[in-house]
C-alpha cells in the first residue's frame, strides 16, 4: 500500500507542476497584448495611419496667388463698362452732368483719382457725348449727343420745314435722344401738323413728314357723292377695253427677246470645191498617156 501511495503522490506532484507551467506560458503569451509599448511591433503589409495617403481633397489656399498671371487692375473692360453705364445715364437724364455726378451715379467715390480722370477722358472723346468745358462754373459738363438734336414738338416741326427735300424722318432716330418722341408725334398728328406712317405689328410711328395745311382742299359733299357713284368696270371688261385700245395689261406684258443665233464654228474648214487638177508646171517634162485609157 505504501508503494501505491508513493505513486499517487508522485502523479499529483507532476500534475501540479505541469499546470503551473501552462499558466506561466499563457501569461507570457498574453503579456505583449497588455503592454504593447514593451513588445516589438510585428511587420505588416498594410500601411500605417501615418503613412496612409489622405483621401480627402484639399481646398486651394486663397492666399496662394499665381504671380505669372496679370492681376485685375480695374482697367480695360471694366472701365469701358462704366463708360457705357455713364452714357446710358446721360441719355436717360437728358440734362448735362458733371464728372462728379457721373462718379456718384456709378458709385466710384472710393476709387483712385486716376481711374476717375480716365473715365472723363474717354467720355470727352466719345462720339455719343458732348463736352462743355465751361459748364457748371468751369467744372465741365457732359451731355448725350443724339443723331438729331430734337427734344420738342416745335423743334421737330422746324427741322422738317427746313429740309430742302420731302424726305421723311425716322422715328427711331428721334427716340435716340428724345424719350417722349412717340407722345409728341401722336399729338401733332391729331392736330394735322404731321403725316405719319406706322408699323402694322404694333402701330408705332415709323416715319414722319410735315403736313402742309395749304394742300388740304375741301371738297363739297355733292361732288364727293358724284365721285362715289362712278362705277369702275370689272377686271375682265377692263382688260378687253385695253386690248381694243392697243394697250397691254401690266401683268401680261412680255419682254420680247431676240432669237438666239446658231453657234458658228470658226475652226471648221470650208469644203473643197470639186475640179480637175493638173500638173501644169510639169507639162513639158511628163508624157501624156491619156490616149492609152480604155474607152
Amino acid at each position: 500500500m505504501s508503494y501505491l501511495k508513493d505513486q499517487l503522490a508522485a502523479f499529483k506532484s507532476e500534475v501540479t507542476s505541469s499546470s503551473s507551467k501552462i499558466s506561466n506560458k499563457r501569461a507570457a503569451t498574453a503579456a505583449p497584448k497588455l503592454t504593447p509599448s514593451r513588445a516589438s511591433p510585428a511587420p505588416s503589409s498594410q500601411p500605417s495611419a501615418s503613412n496612409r495617403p489622405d483621401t480627402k481633397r484639399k481646398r486651394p489656399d486663397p492666399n496662394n496667388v499665381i504671380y505669372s498671371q496679370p492681376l485685375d487692375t480695374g482697367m480695360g473692360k471694366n472701365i469701358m463698362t462704366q463708360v457705357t453705364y455713364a452714357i446710358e445715364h446721360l441719355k436717360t437724364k437728358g440734362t448735362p452732368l458733371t464728372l462728379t455726378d457721373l462718379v456718384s451715379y456709378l458709385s466710384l467715390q472710393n476709387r483712385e483719382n486716376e481711374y476717375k480722370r480716365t473715365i472723363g477722358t474717354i467720355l470727352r472723346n466719345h462720339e455719343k457725348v458732348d463736352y462743355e468745358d465751361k459748364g457748371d462754373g468751369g467744372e465741365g459738363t457732359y451731355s448725350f449727343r443724339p443723331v438729331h438734336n430734337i427734344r420738342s414738338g416745335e423743334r421737330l416741326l422746324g427741322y422738317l420745314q427746313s429740309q430742302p427735300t420731302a424726305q421723311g424722318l425716322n422715328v427711331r432716330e428721334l427716340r435716340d435722344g428724345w424719350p417722349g418722341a412717340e407722345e409728341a408725334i401722336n399729338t401733332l398728328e391729331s392736330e394735322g401738323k404731321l403725316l405719319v406712317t406706322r408699323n402694322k405689328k404694333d402701330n408705332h410711328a415709323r416715319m414722319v413728314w410735315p403736313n402742309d395745311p395749304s394742300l388740304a382742299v375741301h371738297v363739297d359733299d355733292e361732288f364727293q357723292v358724284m365721285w362715289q357713284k362712278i362705277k369702275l368696270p370689272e377686271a375682265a371688261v377692263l382688260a378687253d377695253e385695253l386690248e381694243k385700245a392697243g394697250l397691254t395689261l401690266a401683268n401680261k406684258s412680255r419682254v420680247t427677246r431676240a432669237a438666239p443665233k446658231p453657234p458658228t464654228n470658226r475652226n471648221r474648214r470650208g469644203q473643197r470645191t470639186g475640179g480637175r487638177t493638173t500638173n501644169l508646171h510639169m507639162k513639158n517634162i511628163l508624157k501624156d498617156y491619156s490616149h492609152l485609157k480604155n474607152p
Side-chain angles (χ1 to χ4, degrees):
M1 293 297 292
S2 59
Y3 177 75
L4 294 176
K5 290 180 180 179
D6 295 337
Q7 292 292 331
L8 181 61
F11 177 74
K12 289 182 177 179
S13 63
E14 290 179 1
V15 171
T16 304
S17 61
S18 62
S19 62
S20 63
K21 291 180 180 179
I22 291 174
S23 63
N24 292 334
K25 288 183 179 180
R26 289 180 179 178
T29 55
K33 294 183 181 180
L34 296 176
T35 59
S37 59
R38 297 180 181 179
S40 60
S44 176
S45 60
Q46 295 182 357
S48 61
S50 60
N51 297 329
R52 186 178 302 170
D54 190 4
T55 57
K56 293 184 179 181
R57 188 174 182 180
K58 295 182 179 180
R59 295 183 179 180
D61 188 4
N63 298 325
N64 188 12
V65 182
I66 302 175
Y67 291 97
S68 61
Q69 300 294 332
L71 295 176
D72 186 9
T73 58
M75 308 294 283
K77 294 182 179 179
N78 185 14
I79 195 170
M80 293 309 299
T81 303
Q82 300 294 343
V83 170
T84 303
Y85 291 155
I87 294 175
E88 289 295 327
H89 182 60
L90 291 173
K91 179 179 178 180
T92 306
K93 199 72 175 177
T95 57
L97 299 176
T98 62
L99 182 60
T100 305
D101 298 333
L102 295 176
V103 169
S104 177
Y105 170 75
L106 298 174
S107 300
L108 301 176
Q109 297 89 340
N110 297 327
R111 295 301 299 263
E112 55 273 10
N113 294 330
E114 183 181 358
Y115 186 84
K116 301 174 186 178
R117 287 194 296 268
T118 304
I119 292 179
T121 303
I122 296 174
L123 289 175
R124 282 196 297 271
N125 298 324
H126 202 279
E127 59 180 0
K128 286 289 185 180
V129 177
D130 286 329
Y131 176 70
E132 181 63 33
D133 55 352
K134 297 181 181 179
D136 197 14
E139 183 179 353
T141 56
Y142 302 85
S143 59
F144 181 75
R145 182 191 301 169
V147 180
H148 302 284
N149 192 13
I150 300 173
R151 293 183 174 87
S152 63
E154 291 76 9
R155 297 191 65 175
L156 174 60
L157 292 176
Y159 176 82
L160 292 174
Q161 292 172 2
S162 63
Q163 295 301 306
T165 61
Q167 185 178 3
L169 187 61
N170 195 336
V171 178
R172 188 191 314 175
E173 297 178 356
L174 283 176
R175 287 199 299 262
D176 186 40
W178 186 14
E182 192 82 18
E183 293 78 6
I185 289 173
N186 295 335
T187 303
L188 294 174
E189 183 186 17
S190 62
E191 295 175 357
K193 298 180 180 180
L194 285 181
L195 297 176
V196 184
T197 58
R198 299 181 177 274
N199 297 324
K200 294 182 179 179
K201 184 177 180 180
D202 51 10
N203 200 31
H204 286 305
R206 183 179 181 183
M207 299 286 294
V208 292
W209 289 266
N211 187 16
D212 190 356
S214 63
L215 300 178
V217 180
H218 177 70
V219 181
D220 296 337
D221 297 339
E222 181 181 359
F223 290 102
Q224 293 184 14
V225 173
M226 293 174 60
W227 176 265
Q228 293 174 359
K229 287 182 179 180
I230 298 175
K231 294 183 180 181
L232 296 177
E234 297 180 358
V237 179
L238 183 61
D240 296 338
E241 294 295 333
L242 290 175
E243 291 180 358
K244 290 179 182 179
L247 302 175
T248 307
L249 294 176
N251 56 0
K252 292 185 179 181
S253 61
R254 296 180 180 178
V255 179
T256 58
R257 299 179 180 178
K261 296 181 180 180
T264 57
N265 191 356
R266 297 181 180 179
N267 297 327
R268 184 177 179 181
R269 297 180 179 179
Q271 297 180 357
R272 297 178 63 183
T273 58
R276 185 176 181 180
T277 304
T278 58
N279 296 325
L280 297 177
H281 63 287
M282 301 184 70
K283 183 177 180 180
N284 299 327
I285 300 175
L286 300 178
K287 293 183 180 181
D288 187 8
Y289 293 99
S290 61
H291 59 283
L292 299 178
K293 292 182 180 181
N294 295 327

